Amino acid sequence: MRTIISCARALAARAGAVALAVPMLVTWTVPASAAAVGHSMIPAVGSDVQFESVGDFQADALPPLPCLHSTPIGCFGADTIRAAYDVQPLLNRGITGAGRTIVVIDAFQNPTIQHDLMVFDSFWNIPAPPKFAIVAPQGVPAFDPTNIIQVGWSQEISIDVEWAHAIAPGASIELVLAKSEKDADMLNATKYAIDHKLGDVISQSFGEAEMCLDPKLARKQHALFQEAVERGITLLASSGDKGAARQSCDGSSLVLSASTPASDPNVTGVGGTLLFASGTGAYQSETAWNSTRGASGGGFSTLYRRPSYQEDLVQGGKARGVPDVAYNADSRSGYLVVWSPTVVPPKTTGVLLVGGTSAGAAQWAGIVALADQLGHHRLGAINKQLYRIADDGENSAAFHDITTGNNTFGGITGFTAAKGWDPVTGLGTPDVANLVPQLVRHEGGE
């Protein structure tokens, strides 16, 4: 039996997206709703923040929480997720992401993120990052706690920063904030990070239906992604939290669609699972994430043809398949996150139990930072390495292959997890201590 701590009504799903295209672009018709609004379109809901309130605390130490030590575990802290995905052996060797920088792209702001990160670190006895900088190239509006979109993004910021840091505690973090969640503003924030060489790996915990992208902005976005990988930057993005569906361009319904930016061939898309582990974090099993709250985003692109690295492992059609990999995402085995913007004094710290593929994208960014340190340089686009590792028969050591579950959600028929790659959980979830050395060894492989 899982322990769920004092559920609170979700404030709202957050929104956010970026747009992209590729020379291998296939037929694309812009919906009337998107064309009418153009580049100022507020995109469909991205990787939704799924959360429950654990409580508000004055101390910088968590009280005893049954979910932390239940079997299977009901909520993960840094120590137990490191155990489940075999991160700790690398940390013990001094592979902590030292000398590397993770860039987190988000929108609006979290006015308490410095405090939240400090308290999160105190909970798990994690050293502060060597550098934590917040950059807002175009400025951001004042935080409005009554604005449900801003509140959702502030939660996303806590998730991304805290959990990237949990996996790569020695890496620096650059939090780059767009002034809004609109496509053009998200693109500008990403462009600023790349143009100013802010980091080695970029985490993007947002997305939207491919059909909602403006073609002109999409081409600019893909060109920017191509520039990033040519500079050796690794790009990661969550594959979405609505299974094989995304919200329609006007937000009124769900439609069958892969999510961008995860569907860009230069990006490593991260899907979701439900992870079962013991109270100490020892790995037990996983299945594809699918609950009443959400499901692992995945499917086939209508924008991008299948890249060469997927030729041997992706079956059916000629389209780019997503996701490439996966990570725990179900709030029934979610993550504890410190989030305090709406906590009323004198209480100083709010704690949430969260789920969603956004947490996985940030933690995979941490994994890449570990690999960059081990390899002594940026690995750049990692999809070729990931698929080659699987194709060489090393999948059993580097990945947990997820073979059960599906991503049918909200009346939209999805796909079924299966042996090898599938459009629900990709190649699977990482055994980090085995995967990271293989990523470095397979660098540049075709």
Side-chain angles (χ1 to χ4, degrees):
M1 178 179 178
R2 297 195 164 278
T3 304
I4 300 293
I5 307 172
S6 63
C7 295
R9 180 175 61 85
L11 293 175
R14 55 174 286 282
V18 292
L20 39 155
V22 61
M24 55 184 72
L25 197 67
V26 297
T27 303
W28 185 5
T29 301
V30 180
S33 59
V37 183
H39 293 181
S40 63
M41 178 185 73
I42 297 177
V45 173
S47 300
D48 311 310
V49 177
Q50 316 266 337
F51 77 91
E52 299 166 353
S53 173
V54 172
D56 302 335
F57 307 106
Q58 291 178 291
D60 287 346
L62 273 174
L65 297 174
C67 68
L68 281 169
H69 303 291
S70 61
T71 297
I73 205 164
C75 58
F76 281 95
D79 54 349
T80 46
I81 202 67
R82 289 171 175 176
Y85 285 139
D86 202 22
V87 180
Q88 195 60 47
L90 289 179
L91 302 183
N92 292 344
R93 290 172 49 194
I95 306 301
T96 64
R100 299 296 155 183
T101 299
I102 299 169
V103 176
V104 173
I105 308 292
D106 275 310
F108 299 107
Q109 65 167 303
N110 176 337
T112 64
I113 185 57
Q114 292 96 336
H115 166 268
D116 292 349
L117 179 60
M118 179 183 66
V119 176
F120 179 86
D121 288 348
S122 73
F123 285 172
W124 313 115
N125 194 28
I126 302 173
K131 176 186 177 183
F132 175 42
I134 302 173
V135 181
Q138 296 182 314
V140 292
F143 181 72
D144 179 0
T146 67
N147 184 311
I148 58 176
I149 294 177
Q150 287 196 32
V151 167
W153 278 97
S154 72
Q155 293 166 343
E156 187 61 63
I157 290 168
S158 279
I159 295 169
D160 296 345
V161 170
E162 291 169 19
W163 281 96
H165 181 52
I167 299 302
S172 296
I173 297 175
E174 295 271 352
L175 173 61
V176 181
L177 299 174
K179 68 179 181 180
S180 83
E181 82 283 30
K182 296 179 182 180
D183 285 349
D185 292 337
M186 299 300 292
L187 173 61
N188 286 334
T190 306
K191 186 177 189 308
Y192 184 92
I194 294 169
D195 287 349
H196 289 78
K197 304 177 182 179
L198 295 187
D200 308 292
V201 52
I202 295 178
S203 175
Q204 304 166 98
S205 291
F206 43 81
E208 69 179 334
E210 288 183 326
M211 66 186 69
C212 300
L213 300 176
D214 180 287
K216 292 180 180 179
L217 199 62
R219 285 186 284 273
K220 290 181 180 179
Q221 180 70 21
H222 178 70
L224 182 65
F225 280 16
Q226 186 64 40
E227 179 184 345
V229 299
E230 289 172 357
R231 293 185 178 189
I233 299 170
T234 306
L235 302 165
L236 297 113
S238 51
S239 68
D241 294 358
K242 302 295 185 186
R246 301 281 2 196
Q247 281 197 330
S248 60
C249 302
D250 63 5
S252 64
S253 62
L254 294 179
V255 294
L256 181 68
S257 178
S259 179
T260 64
S263 64
D264 188 290
N266 290 313
V267 176
T268 300
V270 182
T273 68
L274 169 60
L275 170 62
F276 296 94
S278 74
T280 62
Y283 185 92
Q284 295 177 329
S285 65
E286 282 176 279
T287 188
W289 172 38
N290 196 327
S291 70
T292 58
R293 290 187 150 196
S296 177
F300 294 91
S301 175
T302 58
L303 300 182
Y304 309 106
R305 300 188 189 279
R306 182 181 301 164
S308 60
Y309 56 76
Q310 288 193 325
E311 286 293 339
D312 294 334
L313 295 178
V314 177
Q315 305 299 317
K318 296 182 179 180
R320 155 78 161 135
V322 287
D324 299 295
V325 292
Y327 211 83
N328 181 49
D330 198 311
S331 60
R332 292 173 293 178
S333 60
Y335 303 98
L336 293 176
V337 171
V338 178
W339 176 77
S340 305
T342 63
V343 174
V344 178
K347 296 176 181 176
T348 60
T349 298
V351 178
L352 304 177
L353 176 60
V354 305
T357 55
S358 57
Q363 290 178 76
W364 265 96
I367 293 169
V368 173
L370 301 180
D372 285 350
Q373 181 192 352
L374 183 64
H376 304 291
H377 62 276
R378 295 174 173 174
L379 296 187
I382 62 170
N383 284 349
K384 286 184 180 180
Q385 294 99 300
L386 292 171
Y387 284 86
R388 184 174 180 182
I389 290 167
D391 200 29
D392 282 353
E394 300 179 51
N395 189 46
S396 60
F399 297 103
H400 305 287
D401 189 9
I402 314 304
T403 60
T404 59
N406 62 71
N407 64 354
T408 293
F409 184 80
I412 304 296
T413 301
F415 305 91
T416 301
K419 184 175 176 59
W421 182 90
D422 57 71
V424 185
T425 60
L427 299 171
T429 59
D431 183 309
V432 175
N434 284 308
L435 175 62
V436 163
Q438 292 183 39
L439 273 175
V440 175
R441 185 164 67 251
H442 283 276
E443 182 183 3
E446 295 295 331

